[in-house]
Amino acid sequence: MKIVGVLMLVCYILIASYIYPPKWRPFDVFKLSPNLLPFWTKIVAVVWIIFVIFHAYFIKKIEWGDNHFLSVGVNLGLLVITFAKDKLEDEFSMQIRWRAMYTSMISFFVFIGIGGTIRIILPESDFDNGFYFLFMWLNAVLTVNICYYYYSRYKFKKEN
């Protein structure tokens, strides 16, 4: 399992270095456009998520707090899906992508606020482990981002 963990760490580092714009481009948030991963990586990510969930199911550790492989593996798959190109990538899809990122960041702060208030109200709750708490909310934020992006694209195609 250590080899799989090292491979996932290398994947995270490679994805971050690929998405982040090169040094020679100015770092202006309004002009910033990330390098997106190729379309085929989205298919690989979906297969990866299915593999991770089946692996966790067959070893009978489906709980987030007990299985590092499940939480980090799902996060890696959702991250790749979020930053993978579509078959037809144009300016409109980039605009929807930015709106989805903005919506997911707002939902992240709302989720953290809700989690913090639950922790205050119920001090004996399951939010003691900060690592899994963070990964749970990051997975929720990536899921919100993906759902908002594809729903917006579907709604636009349905209207036109």
Side-chain angles (χ1 to χ4, degrees):
M1 237 11 206
K2 288 184 181 183
I3 294 173
V4 175
V6 170
L7 288 175
M8 287 178 22
L9 178 65
V10 168
C11 287
Y12 272 111
I13 293 170
L14 289 175
I15 290 170
S17 64
Y18 184 81
I19 292 171
Y20 193 75
K23 292 180 182 178
W24 55 268
R25 287 179 32 196
F27 190 75
D28 185 6
V29 175
F30 297 109
K31 294 179 184 176
L32 182 69
S33 61
N35 297 328
L36 298 176
L37 301 169
F39 174 75
W40 59 268
T41 57
K42 190 180 297 188
I43 298 166
V44 171
V46 170
V47 171
W48 172 254
I49 290 174
I50 292 169
F51 167 73
V52 167
I53 290 172
F54 274 120
H55 181 269
Y57 178 74
F58 285 124
I59 63 169
K60 307 289 190 265
K61 283 190 166 183
I62 200 71
E63 294 89 19
W64 286 94
D66 292 340
N67 195 340
H68 296 275
F69 183 67
L70 177 65
S71 59
V72 177
V74 169
N75 187 283
L76 179 65
L78 290 173
L79 186 71
V80 170
I81 291 172
T82 301
F83 287 104
K85 286 183 185 177
D86 287 333
K87 284 186 180 179
L88 177 64
E89 191 72 31
D90 55 357
E91 293 174 3
F92 180 69
S93 63
M94 282 304 289
Q95 182 182 11
I96 294 174
R97 196 176 294 279
W98 280 109
R99 283 187 184 168
M101 192 63 67
Y102 178 73
T103 304
S104 65
M105 288 308 298
I106 290 173
S107 68
F108 177 71
F109 292 117
V110 169
F111 289 156
I112 292 296
I114 290 171
T117 54
I118 289 173
R119 182 72 176 114
I120 291 170
I121 295 169
L122 303 170
E124 63 278 346
S125 63
D126 292 333
F127 294 126
D128 291 336
N129 194 340
F131 176 76
Y132 290 108
F133 180 71
L134 178 67
F135 262 92
M136 183 175 63
W137 293 123
L138 287 177
N139 287 340
V141 167
L142 289 173
T143 304
V144 167
N145 186 352
I146 293 168
C147 290
Y148 183 85
Y149 177 73
Y150 286 107
Y151 176 74
S152 297
R153 285 184 55 100
Y154 168 76
K155 192 169 121 180
F156 178 74
K157 285 181 181 179
K158 187 177 175 184
E159 290 175 357
N160 291 337

